[in-house]
Amino acid sequence: MKRLKVTQYLESNNCVFLREGSSHSIYMNILTGKKTSIPRHADIDEITVQKICKQLEIPQI
């Protein structure tokens, strides 16, 4: 899945960008306070996307 699509989905589900890491970006769910890292690759594996959604406590894509 394209990284842009993943970040747009996160932002539409109450998640905000916090900061950049060395090879990833940090997003936080503003409702729960949960944080996770998003790899800075053009394509992100479907399993990784599912884990990101689970960590942020948002519905699966």
Side-chain angles (χ1 to χ4, degrees), residues 23-55:
S23 61
H24 56 276
S25 303
I26 307 295
Y27 275 79
M28 180 179 80
N29 185 332
I30 57 175
L31 300 178
T32 63
K34 301 288 183 174
K35 298 177 189 175
T36 193
S37 60
I38 311 298
R40 219 178 297 143
H41 302 290
D43 290 314
I44 302 174
D45 184 40
E46 294 290 329
I47 295 171
T48 305
V49 174
Q50 291 174 0
K51 289 181 181 182
I52 289 168
C53 291
K54 186 174 182 179
Q55 290 171 350

Side-chain angles (χ1 to χ4, degrees), residues 2 4 6-8 10 12-16 18 29 31-32 35-37 40 42 48 51 57 59-60:
K2 296 291 183 187
L4 179 62
V6 174
T7 57
Q8 288 174 341
L10 295 178
S12 70
N13 281 283
N14 301 313
C15 296
V16 293
L18 287 181
N29 185 332
L31 300 178
T32 63
K35 298 177 189 175
T36 193
S37 60
R40 219 178 297 143
T48 305
K51 289 181 181 182
E57 297 179 353
Q60 301 290 324

